[in-house]
Amino acid sequence: MSKQKGEQEQPINPSQWKLHQPYNAKTVGILIVLFVILIHTGKNTEVPRMISSTFEWAQDLVGLKETSEIGRGTQKLAEKMFPPVISERQELSRIDDFDPDNLPLFSHVEKEVQIYKEYNTDTLELEEVREEKEVLVKRFGYLVHVIKKMYDSLEIALWGTIIAIIVSIPLAYCSSANYAPNKPIYHAARAFVSLLRAVPELISALFLVLAFGFGPVAGILALGFHCAGFFGKFYAEDIENADRGPQDVMLAVNAGKIKTLLYGVFPQVFPQYVAYTLYIVDRNVRMAIVVGIVGAGGIGMELKGRFDMFDYGHVCTILIALFVTVFSLDILSAKIRQSLIKENNK
Amino acid sequence: MIQLQTLTKQYPDGTFAIDDISLEIQEGEFCVLLGPSGAGKSTLLKLLNGMVTPSKGSITINGKTLLPKALKEIRSIISTIHQNFNLVTRMSVEKNVLAGALSKVSLLRALFGVFPQPLRRKACDLIASVGLEEKHLYRRVVELSGGQQQRVGIARAFILDPSIVLADEPVASLDPNISRNVLSILRNAAQRNNTTVLCSLHQVDLAKEFGERIIGVNKGKIVFDGTPELLTQQDLEKIYA
């Protein structure tokens, strides 16, 4: 910068420069408020108990303490959960038209002694009764059942995603600022998209189970509506951010909004759409299990049922199946995403 | 024929992009709009296809005044070529050329991407006429060079046999040799179809080589209008002042 006439050159003296303090009163005030909030909320949510119990458990694990509450609990649970149950046992007397010469694959018949207590009306005492029963043991029966239920959940996730895409296409069109037919429709569409996202699928599943009854329909609709909110938002934002150039050319030759969207926008945003869809499929598989817990079909219903009956061996099988499915899907969607990125960078 | 009468475009900040221009362009003419960046060339082209509305004056194309009511009809005889090609780079060469004819294709056909066979054949002829080969037909535009992309842009502009082609700095991002090649393709296509071309350029040598008529623009005003032979050093100084 040029200096004005008559202005005298001042000698530079860095020792006179004012230095800022690393922490000022405002920072200290914010930290105090945050600390008070943490103390208050921590007390309400039993954080001190969580810390002390976990610490006790850690001491127990490394041998510094003989026993701990969490240690005892986890040990009991582990004993009940392992080994995971993969077979299925069924009394022969309860199977209609049982044919001993034509047994299902990987199954055999064995005798089982059941001991239970019965009240003797003569002696007025509880007596132990031993009863021998023939049962059909299907070696992988329960595992097959879990796989079938898992498949049901995958189907719910798939259809939930399809419904979400179908619902979100008109919503995205109406909630993108540059394609919405008019302002009131634009604001209404945006509000509806926010509403769909705001209602968690577990809550909507609870109501949909009341409306449609137990089963996959409630699950599909719960996932579909919630994810339509996500797709509607993502798709609309991509439409707004797409390169205007090709769209202007098409609009200038009277192509109309819908055809311009199909040819001027859709090819540009397609890779992002696929990426979102893969993410939502991945998420819907996990959420299909959760909505099942409230009766919306799939493996979630089975998990809830077994948990309520304290069949922890069965629960363990279900959890392993869940882990394998989610992990496999994660690898698969990562591979598809990678190939898309490669294709896009060509 | 294009007629501009006292055409003015003033932006909200008070700048005059086009300042009281009156002009007549005959059918089949290859006119070059020559001028520095910010002279108002692009605004003039945008005014002609109705993307920008004039603040004052009128535009008449083939006897029809450019008003919102007549916009659709007038746009159906105008095509545009752009500096940055404005192609959908993920789409194939064929689809990009056919996209220029979307107004003539039903929504159902457009939805499923099934274009009429005669239109597809015409697209092939145009792609061949701009010097591209069969192997380019299903290539994504992103895989082509800049010059090849602009040729696709030219093929797209001619798919509906427009009466007028507006080319906004079509060779600004290309090197001189490729620029000559692209402009000669544009000129040949225009001659074949007797199309009026209004092409904005900032390279004087290219304007002199390809323009049948040069319209020099500076600060929104016409400062020269004549054949390339009449363009003197003094005129150039006025244009680039």
Side-chain angles (χ1 to χ4, degrees):
Chain A
M1 236 197 254
S2 61
K3 286 192 182 298
Q4 283 183 358
K5 264 187 183 177
E7 198 177 318
Q8 282 192 340
E9 196 95 7
Q10 292 288 326
I12 296 167
N13 187 3
S15 61
Q16 301 285 313
W17 291 356
K18 280 183 185 171
L19 299 177
H20 284 192
Q21 292 300 318
Y23 301 103
N24 56 21
K26 194 179 165 189
T27 318
V28 174
I30 290 170
L31 284 174
I32 291 170
V33 170
L34 279 176
F35 188 69
V36 170
I37 291 171
L38 286 178
I39 296 285
H40 177 72
T41 53
K43 214 175 166 187
N44 286 347
T45 50
E46 293 185 68
V47 172
R49 192 172 74 85
M50 178 191 79
I51 294 168
S52 66
S53 305
T54 314
F55 186 65
E56 247 180 43
W57 187 37
Q59 283 179 308
D60 176 17
L61 282 177
V62 293
L64 293 173
K65 212 169 181 190
E66 265 185 33
T67 180
S68 68
E69 196 185 330
I70 302 174
R72 284 193 301 274
T74 26
Q75 198 182 344
K76 266 186 201 168
L77 189 66
E79 278 165 9
K80 284 176 189 168
M81 282 178 89
F82 288 96
V85 176
I86 55 168
S87 63
E88 195 176 41
R89 304 170 80 86
Q90 208 173 0
E91 272 179 45
L92 291 190
S93 57
R94 293 190 180 179
I95 302 171
D96 293 331
D97 307 324
F98 176 71
D99 179 5
D101 299 324
N102 193 14
L103 292 178
L105 204 63
F106 301 119
S107 47
H108 63 273
V109 175
E110 66 178 37
K111 283 189 178 157
E112 190 179 82
V113 179
Q114 284 189 347
I115 304 164
Y116 57 92
K117 285 187 177 171
E118 207 174 59
Y119 188 70
N120 190 330
T121 47
D122 298 329
T123 58
L124 297 176
E125 276 178 9
L126 274 174
E127 285 176 1
E128 204 172 72
V129 181
R130 291 171 69 87
E131 199 178 342
E132 204 170 71
K133 282 177 181 172
E134 273 192 319
V135 289
L136 175 71
V137 180
K138 292 180 188 167
R139 202 168 294 167
F140 302 107
Y142 189 65
L143 186 65
V144 171
H145 179 69
V146 166
I147 291 169
K148 276 183 189 164
K149 287 284 172 192
M150 196 67 236
Y151 183 69
D152 288 350
S153 283
L154 289 175
E155 286 176 323
I156 292 170
L158 173 76
W159 275 99
T161 313
I162 291 170
I163 296 283
I165 293 171
I166 293 168
V167 174
S168 68
I169 289 170
L171 279 177
Y173 179 79
C174 293
S175 58
S176 59
N178 46 346
Y179 281 89
N182 53 48
K183 280 275 168 194
I185 290 181
Y186 166 75
H187 289 298
R190 281 205 95 93
F192 189 55
V193 163
S194 302
L195 177 76
L196 289 176
R197 273 202 325 278
V199 183
E201 48 270 83
L202 196 63
I203 307 298
S204 53
L206 275 171
F207 289 102
L208 287 162
V209 163
L210 292 178
F212 290 89
F214 290 107
V217 177
I220 289 170
L221 290 177
L223 294 178
F225 287 137
H226 184 70
C227 295
F230 279 106
F231 280 143
K233 182 182 159 65
F234 294 155
Y235 289 175
E237 279 172 4
D238 276 346
I239 291 171
E240 284 171 2
N241 294 332
D243 181 12
R244 284 293 316 167
Q247 300 173 58
D248 285 342
V249 171
M250 288 171 204
L251 288 171
V253 294
N254 294 328
K257 275 187 174 180
I258 294 177
K259 286 185 217 166
T260 301
L261 200 65
L262 283 173
Y263 283 83
V265 178
F266 187 66
Q268 290 189 57
V269 297
F270 180 71
Q272 290 99 292
Y273 281 17
V274 175
Y276 299 146
T277 310
L278 282 174
Y279 169 71
I280 293 292
V281 168
D282 190 52
R283 180 186 174 282
N284 273 356
V285 170
R286 281 173 277 131
M287 286 317 294
I289 298 155
V290 177
V291 293
I293 290 172
V294 293
I299 191 88
M301 268 175 98
E302 177 72 18
L303 179 66
K304 177 80 168 67
R306 291 295 178 182
F307 207 88
D308 288 348
M309 290 193 292
F310 309 107
D311 288 340
Y312 294 116
H314 294 80
V315 169
C316 184
T317 312
I318 295 168
L319 292 181
I320 291 169
L322 290 184
F323 170 72
V324 171
T325 310
V326 171
F327 187 66
S328 313
L329 273 172
D330 208 31
I331 293 171
L332 186 72
S333 62
K335 287 213 163 154
I336 296 172
R337 234 173 268 151
Q338 258 178 355
S339 67
L340 267 173
I341 292 166
K342 265 189 205 164
E343 176 95 339
N344 213 22
N345 292 341
K346 255 186 187 176
Chain B
M1 192 169 71
I2 304 169
Q3 284 174 303
L4 312 180
Q5 276 178 338
T6 60
L7 192 69
T8 301
K9 175 66 193 175
Q10 189 182 15
Y11 284 115
D13 63 354
T15 323
F16 280 91
I18 297 294
D19 192 359
D20 199 27
I21 281 182
S22 293
L23 194 66
E24 229 172 65
I25 298 164
Q26 299 303 319
E27 196 183 327
E29 246 185 330
F30 195 105
C31 271
V32 171
L33 285 172
L34 185 66
S37 300
K41 307 185 296 286
S42 298
T43 308
L44 183 59
L45 297 177
K46 281 180 186 164
L47 281 162
L48 283 169
N49 72 353
M51 297 298 275
V52 172
T53 47
S55 313
K56 214 178 83 187
S58 68
I59 302 167
T60 312
I61 294 170
N62 292 352
K64 288 195 174 73
T65 308
L66 186 67
L67 291 169
K69 265 194 263 175
L71 194 60
K72 199 171 177 184
E73 196 185 336
I74 287 174
R75 274 182 177 173
S76 66
I77 57 162
I78 297 179
S79 276
T80 46
I81 298 169
H82 299 263
Q83 176 184 343
N84 44 5
F85 323 131
N86 283 354
L87 299 165
V88 182
T89 51
R90 283 184 53 82
M91 219 154 64
S92 70
V93 168
E94 189 207 24
K95 280 277 157 68
N96 264 290
V97 174
L98 289 168
L102 277 173
S103 59
K104 303 286 172 208
V105 179
S106 70
L107 183 61
L108 204 64
R109 274 186 179 274
L111 187 65
F112 292 102
V114 185
F115 287 84
Q117 204 62 13
L119 203 61
R120 294 183 70 191
R121 282 280 155 227
K122 191 175 176 189
C124 290
D125 292 343
L126 282 166
I127 291 165
S129 74
V130 295
L132 294 175
E133 295 167 38
E134 189 185 354
K135 66 178 179 188
H136 296 115
L137 203 57
Y138 296 108
R139 268 201 203 159
R140 281 188 184 171
V141 165
V142 71
E143 295 167 29
L144 305 181
S145 67
Q148 286 173 324
Q149 290 193 20
Q150 193 55 294
R151 291 189 215 179
V152 177
I154 294 171
R156 180 181 62 184
F158 282 89
I159 186 88
L160 285 181
D161 301 319
S163 306
I164 299 160
V165 168
L166 307 173
D168 187 8
E169 296 275 10
V171 293
S173 50
L174 305 175
D175 68 49
N177 281 340
I178 295 169
S179 297
R180 278 196 171 77
N181 184 256
V182 166
L183 282 173
S184 61
I185 286 169
L186 175 61
R187 189 175 59 185
N188 294 342
Q191 279 170 355
R192 268 198 309 273
N193 300 285
N194 193 33
T195 310
T196 310
V197 177
L198 202 57
C199 173
S200 70
L201 290 175
H202 63 263
Q203 302 97 322
V204 181
D205 54 334
L206 292 176
K208 280 183 169 178
E209 193 178 334
F210 291 96
E212 289 171 6
R213 177 180 169 189
I214 295 175
I215 299 166
V217 188
N218 188 10
K219 291 172 188 160
K221 284 185 181 294
I222 293 177
V223 291
F224 174 82
D225 189 355
T227 57
E229 296 77 33
L230 295 173
L231 187 71
T232 61
Q233 190 56 39
Q234 275 178 326
D235 295 321
L236 282 174
E237 278 168 15
K238 267 195 257 170
I239 294 170
Y240 288 96

